[in-house]
Amino acid sequence: MEQDLTGIVETILYISGDEGLDTLRLAESLETNQSRIVSELKRLQQEYEEQAKTLQIVQVGETFKLTTRPEFSLYVEKYAKPPERSVLSQAALESLAIVAYRQPVTRLDVEEVRGLKQTGHYIH
């Protein structure tokens, strides 16, 4: 396990997400001591820093988390921002109201109530 410890710790750190890696829990599951896990995480933390990786390892109490670097926060916010809400057109709102009120309904029924022919032109 010695040569695999780095890979194991890095993998568990990755999958631990927002919860973070609990060093005691990992030590127990690997049947090793907690200080060994903390030492490996601190070594990895230093390695990430030295290599200027786009991710960083931060310690929060007895847990460690894999996070993005602050300098990339603007891009994360832009990417994670929910899309703009689209506004329904008047025709879509009318159709929705008809469907909600008269279910079940066909397209022809909706067009008839809205005053449309099958061609989509208003009846005069």
Side-chain angles (χ1 to χ4, degrees):
M1 181 180 74
E2 186 64 40
Q3 72 269 13
D4 294 334
L5 184 61
T6 300
I8 293 167
V9 168
E10 198 169 24
T11 298
I12 301 301
L13 180 64
Y14 174 75
I15 66 161
S16 64
D18 290 340
E19 182 181 314
L21 185 153
D22 181 322
T23 56
L24 181 58
R25 182 175 165 199
L26 182 57
E28 289 172 351
S29 68
L30 296 179
E31 299 176 357
T32 189
N33 60 39
Q34 186 179 14
S35 63
R36 184 169 176 218
I37 300 299
V38 170
S39 176
E40 183 60 24
L41 280 159
K42 289 193 178 282
R43 190 194 68 70
L44 269 171
Q45 188 178 40
Q46 183 65 33
E47 183 180 308
Y48 274 50
E49 187 64 36
E50 288 171 359
Q51 294 178 7
K53 297 210 176 203
T54 57
L55 300 175
Q56 64 183 356
I57 298 172
V58 295
Q59 184 174 3
V60 181
E62 291 198 18
T63 63
F64 286 78
K65 294 182 178 188
L66 188 61
T67 68
T68 57
R69 292 202 176 276
E71 58 265 31
F72 298 111
S73 63
L74 176 65
Y75 305 105
V76 172
E77 287 174 25
K78 283 183 176 183
Y79 181 79
K81 181 180 173 186
E84 296 293 322
R85 286 184 41 180
S86 60
V87 180
L88 293 176
S89 67
Q90 186 62 36
L93 285 172
E94 289 172 7
S95 298
L96 186 58
I98 294 165
V99 169
Y101 183 73
R102 295 186 63 177
Q103 283 184 10
V105 65
T106 66
R107 179 179 174 192
L108 196 56
D109 294 333
V110 171
E111 289 175 351
E112 183 179 302
V113 171
R114 286 193 61 231
L116 298 175
K117 291 183 186 178
Q118 278 187 306
T119 61
H121 295 89
Y122 282 101
I123 301 173
H124 298 284

